Amino acid sequence: MNTLRYICKRLLLVIPLLIVISVLAFLLSNLSSGDVASVAIRNEGGIVNDVTLAAKREELGLDKPLAVQYLNWLSKAARLDFGNSFTTKKPVIYEIGRRFPATLELALMATLIAVALSVPFALISVRYKDKLPDFIIRVLTTVGATMPNFWLGLLLLYFFAIQLGVVPVISGSKFSNIFLPAFVMSLEHMALYTRLLRGSIIQVMDSGYIKAARTKGLTYWAVMLKHALRNAVLPCMTLLTTNLSGLICGSFAIETIFSWNGIGKFAVESVKSKDLPVVEGYIMAVALTYILINLIMDIVYSYVNPRIRLEGGKS
Amino acid sequence: MAERTKTRRMTSFQKVLQRLAKDKMAVLCGIILLAFLLVAIFSSSLTPNDPNEVHPELRLAEPSFQYPLGNDQLGRCILSRLIAGTSTTLGNALAVLTGILVVGVPLGMYAGFKGGIVDNIIMRLVDVLCTFPSSLVALAVVGILGPGLTNIMLVLVTLWWAPLARMVRGEVLQIKEKEFVTAARCSGLSDTKIVFRHVLLNIVPPVVVYATLRVGAIIMHIAGFSFIGLGTQAPMSDWGVMLSDAREYLRFAPRMMLWPGLCIMIVAFSLNVFGEGLGEALKPGSKNLSRKEVQE
């Protein structure tokens, strides 16, 4: 029962996000309505004058009241119909669907790298607390958190692609080229996890059951891996999901640098070329993914950690 | 009475400074930040050359005596552009920060102090805004209104006052329970006077720490959008735009990307370390402050 209430509460919280995002996406196609019609005509190779403009506006439904237009747009959007891209002339949903797996791949790989690096870093940091390895890791994580990732991307691209020539300058979406962009994207998250995990392990190591396990004669690493790490990981889990969805939303700079053919790079290009249907589609697609990931992980998390579920149900 | 409280506040302020001085790293970062701030303020008189003067014959030129960091793709002096960029980058970030503070602090204080329906409305709005991914909203707004710095800054203010308001509300809720507030209320002070004389002063430390840590994120966000060409537009320039230019000439003039990136990183790093040091220094300090006020 509580779980259901918790899920309902989470669902209620995302409705405003959906509405605002959809209104934004809708405004995208309408705020500059004169523009849209003339851009559409020009893209079809027609001549822009009063007659064609009026006809095009009627065809696109731009002469109706804004609220009606919004509802029309919404019913189309619900069917994932965002019209055709101005530049490629193909349906927006096809173009986005084609590129989406690459972005998802990149985000997942970045998360994987962040986790794979942060766990050993945190373990080492705790083992040698306040000694040199801990200090080095702490400086590294601070640098990692404050280094602009697009700059790091440029530096690595220059070093590996231009100086050493081991990776191509244009990554396309080949899986073998994923590591560099994924590493760049993972860095700030890696830094965050390491710090959080370090703090949370130190806290857990102070608790009674760890001391009990130690006095029982278990070795340091056995206690650490079997008891401490497991309990310390939990607080990091929520962060993991926020970050995964953040990675999908914020991948456009890195995708642009590495010419990774994902939706982020596509969206930036579309904003620049005023290919509005694509931008609309991108915003709705990413917003839905964002909401979906957060929702799924909230529910999973509430099963793993019943305390959250109970608190959520009560308030 | 007024003088006495003043001296006491001074001593606790000095204590914070003393504690901060022990953290060598934080002090160093504070000095670096101060230096950047001074460069930003006096940028127009510090630039060795005109940052916007085009020299076609010096296109992508190596560093020389007159142009210590070399020239960019239009032959403009990179050092001068870097210095001019300091003032735009920091100025814009501080403008966004001011916006966040102006909206977030009063709303958070009001919600925390008054409670009730208004609190509920403000906090639900905060909950909702906190679910908004800022880069996505910024991209959408830029899509509607066209690329431009003002749009990015507006989005940041609209979204990022929310977490600040949430934090301020939490602080106010704690302070509200303190005895000195009850004492002030018993002595017949109005709500407004209590808020301005007792509550506001006590939320300054956490707000300062929050603001310091947030500026780095603001700088990165603006620079990120300038970098992909959707933020600051020519002829305006900031570090993000310089990096964006450098990207085009990565193969021929890789040193172009070095300095703007380094500047962003140093400033963000310093803000981070200084902010955390300040937070540590203020932690016991703020407690002392309230304890003393309780004694009064």
Side-chain angles (χ1 to χ4, degrees), chain A residues 29-30 32-64 69 76 83-86 89 277:
Chain A
S29 58
N30 270 271
S32 47
S33 61
D35 253 329
V36 173
S38 59
V39 168
I41 293 170
R42 257 188 233 112
N43 277 303
E44 283 158 15
I47 304 152
V48 182
N49 58 35
D50 287 350
V51 183
T52 53
L53 214 58
K56 195 76 205 171
R57 280 203 181 143
E58 211 182 317
E59 186 197 322
L60 295 173
L62 295 173
D63 53 344
K64 300 204 179 72
Q69 286 187 43
K76 270 182 155 183
N84 289 356
S85 156
F86 290 160
K89 308 278 188 282

Side-chain angles (χ1 to χ4, degrees), chain A residues 2-192:
Chain A
N2 271 328
T3 319
L4 203 66
R5 276 178 71 180
Y6 174 72
I7 293 169
C8 286
K9 214 183 138 196
R10 300 295 309 176
L11 272 173
L12 279 177
L13 209 59
V14 298
I15 290 172
L17 173 64
L18 263 182
I19 293 175
V20 172
I21 287 288
S22 69
V23 167
L24 275 179
F26 163 71
L27 282 179
L28 205 58
S29 58
N30 270 271
L31 201 74
S32 47
S33 61
D35 253 329
V36 173
S38 59
V39 168
I41 293 170
R42 257 188 233 112
N43 277 303
E44 283 158 15
I47 304 152
V48 182
N49 58 35
D50 287 350
V51 183
T52 53
L53 214 58
K56 195 76 205 171
R57 280 203 181 143
E58 211 182 317
E59 186 197 322
L60 295 173
L62 295 173
D63 53 344
K64 300 204 179 72
L66 221 56
V68 176
Q69 286 187 43
Y70 174 66
L71 288 178
N72 280 344
W73 180 87
L74 205 61
S75 79
K76 270 182 155 183
R79 281 173 276 140
L80 298 176
D81 176 10
F82 297 99
N84 289 356
S85 156
F86 290 160
T87 43
T88 64
K89 308 278 188 282
K90 294 208 176 92
V92 167
I93 195 65
Y94 163 77
E95 293 288 347
I96 286 176
R98 205 160 61 100
R99 290 171 171 86
F100 188 73
T103 298
L104 195 64
E105 235 170 55
L106 195 61
L108 286 174
M109 183 54 86
T111 311
L112 204 68
I113 293 177
V115 172
L117 288 179
S118 61
V119 171
F121 276 179
L123 289 176
I124 294 169
S125 208
V126 174
R127 182 73 184 94
Y128 301 98
K129 189 167 169 265
D130 295 325
K131 298 209 179 78
L132 190 65
D134 183 32
F135 180 75
I136 293 172
I137 287 174
R138 272 159 70 189
V139 169
L140 271 182
T141 52
T142 314
V143 170
T146 53
M147 193 164 193
N149 62 5
F150 47 91
W151 185 49
L152 180 71
L154 276 188
L155 289 174
L156 291 183
L157 187 70
Y158 174 71
F159 188 70
F160 285 105
I162 295 177
Q163 286 288 42
L164 297 180
V166 286
V167 294
V169 177
I170 292 168
S171 302
S173 52
K174 267 175 69 185
F175 189 74
S176 55
N177 298 329
I178 203 174
F179 294 101
L180 218 48
F183 172 73
V184 171
M185 279 173 78
S186 74
L187 198 67
E188 61 177 310
H189 302 286
M190 185 275 286
L192 209 64

Side-chain angles (χ1 to χ4, degrees), chain B residues 97-266:
Chain B
L97 181 69
T98 313
I100 292 172
L101 289 175
V102 165
V103 181
V105 173
L107 282 182
M109 278 178 77
Y110 194 83
F113 201 78
K114 281 281 179 190
I117 293 181
V118 184
D119 176 31
N120 222 327
I121 293 174
I122 294 177
M123 288 331 283
R124 289 300 81 73
L125 186 63
V126 165
D127 283 346
V128 166
L129 283 177
C130 285
T131 62
F132 280 46
S134 53
S135 4
L136 183 65
V137 177
L139 200 69
V141 170
V142 163
I144 299 170
L145 302 174
L149 180 68
T150 342
N151 301 336
I152 307 283
M153 287 168 70
L154 270 177
V155 170
L156 291 186
V157 173
T158 318
L159 293 184
W160 285 3
W161 68 265
L164 173 68
R166 184 182 273 171
M167 188 211 81
V168 168
R169 174 178 175 270
E171 293 286 329
V172 170
L173 281 182
Q174 276 179 23
I175 292 165
K176 218 168 73 170
E177 300 304 316
K178 293 265 164 68
E179 283 123 341
F180 64 83
V181 174
T182 323
R185 191 167 279 148
C186 289
S187 65
L189 279 178
S190 68
D191 277 359
T192 354
K193 278 187 179 160
I194 293 176
V195 166
F196 279 100
R197 283 194 195 163
H198 299 279
V199 180
L200 192 61
L201 198 76
N202 280 297
I203 62 160
V204 167
V207 168
V208 168
V209 173
Y210 180 90
T212 317
L213 293 174
R214 203 65 189 188
V215 175
I218 298 172
I219 292 178
M220 295 260 225
H221 241 78
I222 297 179
F225 271 92
S226 293
F227 175 74
I228 53 171
L230 300 178
T232 311
Q233 301 291 310
M236 285 265 286
S237 177
D238 62 13
W239 295 336
V241 172
M242 292 180 73
L243 271 180
S244 169
D245 290 343
R247 180 175 163 246
E248 308 284 316
Y249 298 89
L250 197 59
R251 196 178 288 272
F252 309 105
R255 76 200 134 65
M256 261 173 79
M257 73 175 164
L258 196 62
W259 302 106
L262 209 57
C263 282
I264 298 178
M265 196 180 111
I266 291 172

